[in-house]
Amino acid sequence: MMKELIFKYEQYPSTRKLSQNQRLVLKEAKKALKKSYSPYSGFQVAAAVELANGKILSGANFENAAYPLCLCAERVVLAAAAAEYPNVKILRMAITVKSKEHPQTKPAAPCGACRQVILETEQKQKNPLELILQAEKGDVLVIPQGGTLLPFGFDADALAGK
Ligand code: THU
């Protein structure tokens, strides 16, 4: 039997249609680009999260001369939230990118590893984690449930044989 998955997201030409909170978290992500430690790729990625207690945390990619150890901005900020507020739900995450080489106008989506961690976060907190993506300028994508970026992701059910 052929089955189909439907993936829903919003796309806007600017931030005008975003709510105040969405705009604020995106602004914090853009401010966090300066935290990027990316001497090897020259590609800055920053992410900010809004927590259910009203706090906003941000982080950026954190590279290493041993390349596979590079940490993505998304997982840096999710780890920071887990360290500071382990039991507080994460409502939304904004992600932005900037490159030394060329101006970025296309929103960059989280890599596969980050999608896996976003999915786990949603399952842990039993609440959707909204993603807001915009490059330096250009289109804005809003993905209401970040885990939907990873259909058939590996999860605790698999470990339990469910
Ligand atoms: N990067 C992120 O921070 N997030 C992603 O989802 C994809 C890639 C970083 C890792 C590395 O520092 C640089 O972007 C180039 O891959």
Side-chain angles (χ1 to χ4, degrees), residues 21-36 44-50 56-61 73-74 77 92-98 132-135:
N21 285 15
Q22 288 173 325
R23 252 199 293 254
L24 183 64
V25 76
L26 181 58
K27 198 170 147 197
E28 289 301 313
K30 291 193 175 180
K31 270 179 21 195
L33 282 168
K34 62 175 184 297
K35 299 181 181 175
S36 171
Q44 301 179 352
V45 186
V49 288
E50 180 192 337
I56 294 185
L57 302 178
S58 68
N61 53 336
E74 296 89 329
V77 78
R92 52 181 57 87
M93 178 192 290
I95 305 163
T96 190
V97 291
K98 186 174 177 179
I132 303 157
L133 315 178
Q134 190 188 34

Side-chain angles (χ1 to χ4, degrees), residues 36-38 41-46 60-64 70-76 95-97 108-115:
S36 171
Y37 176 65
S38 44
S41 70
F43 191 74
Q44 301 179 352
V45 186
N61 53 336
F62 182 57
E63 297 189 347
N64 194 286
C70 292
L71 295 175
C72 292
E74 296 89 329
R75 278 177 289 149
V76 166
I95 305 163
T96 190
V97 291
C111 77
C114 291
R115 293 177 196 206

Side-chain angles (χ1 to χ4, degrees), residues 51 53 55-57 76-88:
L51 307 182
N53 63 5
K55 301 276 182 203
I56 294 185
L57 302 178
V76 166
V77 78
L78 288 175
E84 289 291 323
Y85 303 102
N87 300 314
V88 180

